Amino acid sequence: MQIGNIEIKFDRISALIFVFTLIILFLTIPFSYGAVTKISIPTKTVSGLHPIVRKIPLEPELILALSGGAVRGFAHVGVLAAFEEADVPIAGIAGVSIGALIGALYAGGLSPSEIKHVIQKINLETILLDQPARKSLLLARKREYSRHLIEIRLSKNLSPIMPGALSPGQKLYQLLLDLTLNLPLNTTGSWDKLPTRLRILATDLNTGEPVEFFAGDFTPAIRSSMSVPLLFDPFEFNSRLYIDGGVSANIPVSTAISMSGERIVAINLTSDLKDHEQPFKPWHIVDQVTTIMQEQPNKAAMQKADLTITPDFELNVTVDENYDYYFETGRLAVMQHILEIKKLLSPAESEEDKKFRQFQSLKIEPQTQIKVINNLISQADLQSISDVKSLLKDIYKSGFVQDVQAEYDESSQSLLIRAEFNPVINKLRVTGNSHLPESVITRLFHSFEGGTLNYDEFQAALISLLKQYRQAGLAAAYINGIEYDSQSSTITVTVNEGRLGSIVFHGLKRVPKAFLSAEVPIKVGDPITIAGVIDGTFNLYATGLFRSVSPVITADSDRDGLIKLNYYLHEHPAPPVRLGLAYQTERRTHGFVETILPNPFTYAARLGMYMSVGEKDSHHQLSFSIDKFFGIPVMSNLALAYSAHKRKRYNSSHDELGEYEESRWGGNFKLGGTPTRWGLLAFTARWEEHRNIYFSAENQYNLTGIGIELGVDTQDRYPYPTEGLRFDANFETARTNLDGQPSFNRFWSSFEGHVSLSERYTLGFKTEGNFADRTAPPDERFKLGGIYDFTGLQLDEKIGIIQMAAELDLRFDLLSRMLSDAYIGVHGNIGGSWKDPEARYKREDLLISFGSYFVLDTILGPLHIEWGQLIPNGAHTRQNVIYLQAGNLF
C-alpha cells in the first residue's frame, strides 16, 4: 500500500490488529473520554505544616471595619458572635478606638463569648483615676498616699504646668496590658500571619495623618487608637505622638480596603447628637464631640463599604455598663443582614454550572473512615455542578484533605471524588516546655495520634496550648516551629517560652537609669511572666517619677530567640507641689503644703519638704529618704521636724479642765528593710527637745531614744478600705534629762483588718495595745478618743500609760461612682486607759461606746459625719458627740 511517496507494507495479521485498534478507538473516545467532566474549585494555599499543604477555597474575603463609639463599642462583641453563629469567616479586621480593642482581642485568639466575659470586668468608673494603686506603694509611702487635695507642678518661672488631658491614661494602659498579655496569639511579628488579619488606626498628632499599625505588641497600638483628646494624654511611641484614630477616620473603611479585602462590611456605632437630660459623663462628652467632628467623613466612609450595618440603639436609655444590651443589639443587627452578607461572599456562578444534572452514584477515592467526610458524601443533595463545587468546598473546609477534585461521568451519571488526605499521625510531641504538666500536653494532643490529621483541629489545639501558657502566667510563650517527619509520621511542636533577653528604658531625661530594672521582678533568662510585667509597671509608676509607664514586648534582635521588654517612660515635667486642706470638729481648720524633689543620682532617693499649719496643730519637716540601696530593699530616712499641738483636758464627767500645749523639735533616723512592698522592719533613733505647758506650768526637757519598728499594710485604700490588713508595732527605750526620770520604755501596737462580705458590705475590726513605764513624761503617754480612734470620746480625751481598745465596724456602700462613693456604717468600741500600771483594774474602768456615720467620699476628700455615744458606767457618765471631718486625713 502506497500513500504519496510512502509505501506501507503489512501482512494479514498486522492488518487485522490495525483494524481492531481503530474499532476500539472509535468506541472508546465518545463514551470514555468525551463524557467525563473534571470538576475543581479555585483554592489558595495557607500557611501549613510542610510538606502537608493546607488549601482553602478561594472565595471573596470579608474584612470588617469596626468603628469607634465609646461604650457602644461593646456591641462589636455581639457583631462577632453573629458572624460566628452564621458560620461566616472573617478574614480581617480594621479597628478604631474601642473597635481596635475588640478587634485585637478577636485576632488575638479569643472567641466572642470569651471577649464578652473579660469585657464585663471593666469598670468604666475608675478608668480615669490614675493614682498608683495603694498596694503597689512601699509601706513608707502609703502613709502619705492621697492626703493631698490637689497636686500641681511648676515650671522654672513658677507658673503652673497644665497637663495635656484629664488623665495620663495609665489606668487605661494597665487595663489593656492585662487584656493583651493574656491573649494566646499576642505577637511581636506581623499581624498578617494571624488567623484573622488585623489593622489598628491611630492619628499622628503633629501631622494629622492616619497611621496604621500592622505588627508588634497589640497594647501600644490600641492605646494609641484610644487616645481620646483632652480625656487621655496623647500616646508617645517610637518618637511620634498619637491620638484617637477616630479623629482621622472613625469608620476605618479605607484601612479595611488596604488589607486587600474583597468585601468590606462596616459596623457603624457612631450616634446622632443627643440632648442629655442627665449630666454629661466624660465618655458622653467624648461621644458627642466625636459625632460632631465625624459626621461628614463617616458618610463618605460608609459609601465606600459594600455594606454598612448600624445597630439600632434605644434612645434615652441609661445603659453605660449594660453589656448584655449592647451585645444583643450588635448581634441582632448583623443577623438581620446575614443573607445579604452571604450573598456578597458567594462567588459568581456560570450558567453551565447551574444546569441540572443527573447523579446516579457518588463515591470517594480512596475510601476513608472519616465520619465527617462520609457524612458529607452521604448527605449530599446534588442537582448541578454548582452543588458539586459546594460539596468540594465543604470537604476542603473539613480540614482533613490537602487536595480534592471530582470527575463526573455523563454516560453513567456517576460522580467520583478524588481526595488527597492528610497523613495518619503516629506520634505528636512538644519540645521546649518546662512549665506545663505533661498531663496538659497529653490532654491537648493525644487525640491526634493514630488518626488522620485534621489541620483546623490541630491549629485549635495549638491555640489551646498557648492559652494554657497564659493561664500558667507566661506572657510571651509562642510556637517557635512545627516539623513533620514523613518517615515516622511524627509531628514535633517546638515551644519558645519567651525568655527575657534584656530590659530597656526609653524616655529617661532626668531620672537616673541605675538600678531601675530592680523594680521589674523578672530576671534575664527567665520566662517573661504576666505578673512580672504588670508588677514592674505598678512598681515603676509607684515611684512617683513618671506620668505614665508603658511596657512593650518585642523580639530581641541582639539575642536570637529571646524577648526584649521595653518600658516607655514619660517623666513628670517638674517636681510635685501638693496642697491639702481639711476641717475637723476637734482640730478645726488645718492645711499643708509639701514638695518632693527627686535625687539626681538614684531614682530611689528623694528630698521632702512638708509644712502643715492649723488652729490646733502645726508640723514642719525636712526629710531625706532612700527607698532602696543599689536595688536592694533596704530603706533609710533622716528627718528634721518641729510639731506643736493644742488639746483640751477632761475629767471623768467629760468636763473641760482647760487647754494644754505640747511642742517638740529635733531629728529622727530610720534604717530597715522592706522585703515586700507591704512590710517594713526598721531600727529607729531620735533626739528631740520638748516644751510643754500644762495649766500655765512650763515643762522643758530633751529626749534620746532607740527602738525597733514593724509594719505591715495591705489595705486597698485609706481610710475606708474594703480589704486588707494593717499592723504596726513599735518598741522604744528612751532617756530624758528630767530629774528622777532618767529612762523609760514604750510599746505600742495596732492591728486592723477589713473583709468584703458582699459587693456592698464591708466588715472591719481594730485592736490596740499600748504600754509604757510610769516614768514616761506626759507628752509620751498614750491618748485615746476621737472620730477615727474611739467614738463617744473627745479627741485625746483619755491619757494613760496603759491603753487597750477594740472596735468592730460594719459599712454599707450606698453607691460607687467615679467622682464619689457614699457609705453608711455602724461600729462599737470597747477599751480603757489607765494612768497607774499597778492599780487594780475594775469593771467600771471599761469604756463602751457605739456610733453611726455617713460618708460622702469624693475626689476632694471625704465628708464624714458621725454620732457617737459613750455608755455610762460607775466611773464615766454618758456622753454624745457629733463629729465632722471634711477633707483628707493628714
Side-chain angles (χ1 to χ4, degrees):
M1 181 179 184
Q2 184 171 345
I3 302 176
N5 295 325
I6 301 175
E7 183 178 4
I8 302 176
K9 297 181 178 180
F10 53 87
D11 55 18
R12 182 177 298 176
I13 296 176
S14 299
L16 291 174
I17 292 173
F18 178 76
V19 172
F20 182 77
T21 301
L22 290 177
I23 294 172
I24 294 296
L25 288 173
F26 176 79
L27 296 175
T28 301
I29 289 175
F31 296 102
S32 298
Y33 291 96
V36 174
T37 302
K38 291 187 176 181
I39 306 170
S40 63
I41 59 174
T43 61
K44 67 175 182 178
T45 302
V46 297
S47 56
L49 176 60
H50 183 78
I52 304 174
V53 177
R54 174 61 168 138
K55 293 181 180 180
I56 61 174
L58 185 60
E59 298 176 308
E61 289 187 329
L62 171 63
I63 306 294
L64 293 183
L66 302 184
S67 76
V71 292
R72 290 188 310 280
F74 298 119
H76 287 317
V77 186
V79 168
L80 297 175
F83 282 106
E84 184 179 79
E85 181 181 338
D87 195 25
V88 175
I90 300 171
I93 294 175
V96 164
S97 196
I98 188 67
L101 170 60
I102 304 302
L105 296 180
Y106 186 78
L110 296 187
S111 67
S113 60
E114 291 173 322
I115 297 174
K116 182 182 179 183
H117 177 70
V118 299
I119 287 296
Q120 286 177 327
K121 298 179 180 179
I122 296 177
N123 184 359
L124 294 175
E125 302 287 353
T126 63
I127 201 168
L128 298 176
L129 303 180
D130 281 291
Q131 289 287 347
R134 191 175 188 276
K135 288 185 176 182
S136 69
L137 299 174
L138 289 170
L139 187 140
R141 297 195 181 187
K142 286 185 170 86
R143 307 300 164 86
E144 62 188 49
Y145 178 75
S146 294
R147 65 186 180 186
H148 58 275
L149 178 63
I150 59 173
E151 178 179 284
I152 60 175
R153 296 178 186 272
L154 303 177
S155 63
K156 292 182 179 179
N157 61 4
L158 299 182
S159 61
I161 299 175
M162 298 300 294
L166 180 63
S167 164
Q170 183 64 30
K171 189 69 176 283
L172 173 62
Y173 198 95
Q174 290 173 182
L175 167 67
L176 298 176
L177 189 66
D178 185 52
L179 292 173
T180 57
L181 287 179
N182 282 281
L183 291 176
L185 297 179
N186 60 25
T187 179
T188 59
S190 171
W191 299 345
D192 285 340
K193 296 181 180 180
L194 297 170
T196 302
R197 305 197 303 274
L198 179 67
R199 292 288 187 278
I200 290 177
L201 184 68
T203 304
D204 188 309
L205 178 61
N206 292 315
T207 65
E209 298 174 348
V211 179
E212 295 180 6
F213 288 85
F214 53 84
D217 195 332
F218 290 139
T219 320
I222 304 170
R223 171 64 177 85
S224 297
S225 188
M226 296 183 73
S227 300
V228 180
L230 302 182
L231 197 59
F232 299 112
D233 276 357
F235 186 68
E236 186 174 358
F237 183 59
N238 289 339
S239 302
R240 300 179 78 172
L241 278 175
Y242 296 102
I243 57 175
D244 195 304
V247 173
S248 52
N250 200 42
I251 307 177
V253 174
S254 296
T255 300
I257 294 173
S258 72
M259 298 172 68
S260 302
E262 299 175 10
R263 300 292 185 267
I264 309 299
V265 174
I267 309 300
N268 172 32
L269 301 185
T270 58
S271 65
D272 297 328
L273 295 176
K274 293 182 175 64
D275 182 12
H276 284 259
E277 296 180 1
Q278 299 178 354
F280 278 91
K281 292 184 177 180
W283 43 89
H284 292 157
I285 298 174
V286 171
D287 192 18
Q288 194 86 334
V289 171
T290 302
T291 302
I292 295 170
M293 293 190 304
Q294 291 296 325
E295 185 174 5
Q296 293 304 319
N298 287 345
K299 291 179 180 179
M302 289 187 286
Q303 291 176 353
K304 296 179 183 179
D306 295 287
L307 175 65
T308 297
I309 298 175
T310 303
D312 185 15
F313 298 107
E314 296 181 23
L315 298 177
N316 300 320
V317 176
T318 303
V319 286
D320 285 341
E321 291 190 29
N322 191 336
Y323 302 110
D324 289 334
Y325 169 79
Y326 288 116
F327 178 90
E328 192 61 20
T329 302
R331 191 189 72 84
L332 290 176
V334 172
M335 296 307 293
Q336 291 171 359
H337 294 82
I338 202 65
L339 294 179
E340 185 178 358
I341 293 170
K342 288 185 175 182
K343 186 176 180 180
L344 278 174
L345 299 177
S346 299
E349 293 181 316
S350 68
E351 293 301 320
E352 187 66 26
D353 288 347
K354 295 179 183 179
K355 291 181 180 179
F356 178 78
R357 295 288 191 278
Q358 291 287 341
F359 295 93
Q360 299 296 334
S361 65
L362 172 61
K363 65 177 181 177
I364 186 169
E365 288 186 359
Q367 293 294 319
T368 178
Q369 300 299 317
I370 301 174
K371 292 183 179 180
V372 174
I373 302 296
N374 290 333
N375 288 339
L376 289 173
I377 299 296
S378 63
Q379 297 174 8
D381 182 17
L382 305 179
Q383 302 291 331
S384 65
I385 298 300
S386 291
D387 294 336
V388 176
K389 290 183 177 181
S390 294
L391 174 61
L392 297 181
K393 290 179 183 178
D394 292 338
I395 294 175
Y396 271 119
K397 291 177 180 180
S398 72
F400 284 103
V401 300
Q402 299 182 54
D403 198 5
V404 61
Q405 297 181 354
E407 295 179 359
Y408 176 59
D409 190 330
E410 293 186 2
S411 62
S412 62
Q413 296 180 343
S414 62
L415 185 68
L416 175 64
I417 305 294
R418 296 187 183 276
E420 182 181 355
F421 289 99
N422 292 335
V424 174
I425 303 302
N426 293 330
K427 186 174 180 58
L428 197 154
R429 61 195 185 101
V430 177
T431 63
N433 169 63
S434 63
H435 279 74
L436 295 184
E438 193 62 32
S439 59
V440 172
I441 305 296
T442 302
R443 176 173 56 82
L444 289 175
F445 294 106
H446 80 280
S447 62
F448 293 96
E449 297 181 347
T452 302
L453 175 68
N454 184 296
Y455 185 84
D456 294 336
E457 292 178 359
F458 177 61
Q459 291 296 322
L462 293 177
I463 293 177
S464 296
L465 175 64
L466 293 175
K467 286 183 179 180
Q468 291 295 323
Y469 277 109
R470 303 298 178 257
Q471 292 176 13
L474 272 64
Y478 64 96
I479 305 299
N480 192 38
I482 307 173
E483 295 182 359
Y484 171 68
D485 185 344
S486 58
Q487 293 184 349
S488 62
S489 296
T490 299
I491 292 179
T492 301
V493 178
T494 303
V495 174
N496 186 316
E497 294 187 328
R499 298 181 181 275
L500 180 65
S502 60
I503 300 176
V504 180
F505 298 101
H506 304 267
L508 293 177
K509 298 176 182 178
R510 294 176 299 275
V511 177
K513 182 173 63 175
F515 309 110
L516 203 59
S517 59
E519 298 295 339
V520 184
I522 311 174
K523 296 180 180 179
V524 172
D526 289 345
I528 296 177
T529 62
I530 296 173
V533 176
I534 292 177
D535 288 349
T537 305
F538 284 159
N539 296 346
L540 289 167
Y541 190 56
T543 63
L545 299 172
F546 309 107
R547 181 165 170 82
S548 63
V549 177
S550 308
V552 177
I553 293 176
T554 62
D556 196 331
S557 58
D558 298 328
R559 299 168 180 82
D560 187 36
L562 297 180
I563 301 296
K564 181 187 295 184
L565 182 54
N566 303 269
Y567 279 95
Y568 288 84
L569 306 172
H570 183 195
E571 294 181 0
H572 284 298
V577 177
R578 296 168 180 160
L579 306 173
L581 182 66
Y583 173 85
Q584 194 178 89
T585 308
E586 304 151 318
R587 299 173 61 194
R588 305 300 181 186
T589 303
H590 51 291
F592 78 87
V593 58
E594 73 172 336
T595 186
I596 297 175
L597 305 175
N599 187 279
F601 303 107
T602 171
Y603 79 96
R606 55 188 182 145
L607 178 67
M609 293 176 283
Y610 177 90
M611 182 174 68
S612 171
V613 294
E615 295 181 44
K616 300 291 184 181
D617 305 273
S618 63
H619 182 80
H620 314 299
Q621 178 173 293
L622 177 67
S623 64
F624 179 74
S625 302
I626 299 179
D627 296 326
K628 291 186 177 181
F629 281 102
F630 306 106
I632 301 173
V634 175
M635 60 79 62
S636 68
N637 176 270
L638 176 64
L640 301 175
Y642 168 82
S643 62
H645 308 281
K646 294 180 180 181
R647 294 291 183 266
K648 294 179 180 180
R649 297 291 297 269
Y650 301 88
N651 59 21
S652 59
S653 299
H654 316 297
D655 299 322
E656 292 185 17
L657 301 179
E659 192 174 64
Y660 65 91
E661 298 180 18
E662 295 178 343
S663 63
R664 64 185 69 184
W665 67 272
N668 59 76
F669 177 73
K670 185 182 298 185
L671 176 65
T674 56
T676 63
R677 306 191 77 81
W678 45 263
L680 169 68
L681 177 63
F683 295 95
T684 62
R686 62 170 173 152
W687 177 90
E688 294 175 340
E689 185 74 24
H690 290 235
R691 179 177 179 273
N692 308 311
I693 301 176
Y694 302 110
F695 304 105
S696 302
E698 184 174 337
N699 183 24
Q700 189 169 344
Y701 68 95
N702 59 53
L703 177 150
T704 57
I706 58 173
I708 187 170
E709 175 184 345
L710 175 64
V712 172
D713 189 341
T714 64
Q715 291 180 337
D716 59 343
R717 53 190 301 182
Y718 184 78
Y720 306 103
T722 60
E723 61 179 18
L725 301 173
R726 181 171 177 173
F727 174 71
D728 293 289
N730 296 265
F731 174 80
E732 182 183 48
T733 180
R735 297 182 62 89
T736 70
N737 62 351
L738 292 172
D739 294 338
Q741 296 179 327
S743 65
F744 65 94
N745 299 314
R746 291 202 318 160
F747 172 80
W748 63 102
S749 65
S750 173
F751 179 59
E752 65 177 287
H754 290 81
V755 59
S756 293
L757 301 178
S758 67
E759 184 178 357
R760 292 187 176 273
Y761 284 95
T762 300
L763 181 66
F765 68 90
K766 179 180 179 181
T767 61
E768 293 183 15
N770 307 321
F771 307 91
D773 294 336
R774 64 168 61 238
T775 54
D779 61 344
E780 289 291 305
R781 300 185 179 188
F782 306 110
K783 300 176 176 64
L784 184 67
I787 181 173
Y788 294 109
D789 189 33
F790 199 101
T791 192
L793 292 177
Q794 302 288 350
L795 179 64
D796 298 345
E797 182 174 338
K798 297 295 180 181
I799 301 176
I801 58 176
I802 296 178
Q803 180 179 295
M804 300 182 69
E807 177 183 279
L808 189 65
D809 177 88
L810 180 63
R811 188 173 70 243
F812 176 71
D813 186 356
L814 288 173
L815 64 94
S816 293
R817 295 292 183 266
M818 183 186 71
L819 299 180
S820 66
D821 297 332
Y823 311 107
I824 57 174
V826 294
H827 52 196
N829 299 76
I830 184 172
S833 180
W834 294 270
K835 299 179 179 180
D836 187 354
E838 297 179 0
R840 181 179 178 182
Y841 305 121
K842 296 176 287 188
R843 180 179 178 182
E844 290 78 7
D845 294 333
L846 282 179
L847 302 168
I848 301 175
S849 67
F850 64 87
S852 60
Y853 58 89
F854 168 78
V855 179
L856 187 64
D857 194 6
T858 73
I859 59 174
L860 300 178
L863 175 64
H864 184 124
I865 303 172
E866 180 171 338
W867 166 76
Q869 183 181 86
L870 185 70
I871 304 300
N873 59 20
H876 302 89
T877 61
R878 184 186 306 273
Q879 179 174 224
N880 291 285
V881 183
I882 301 296
Y883 307 94
L884 173 64
Q885 166 79 32
N888 294 314
L889 299 178
F890 56 88

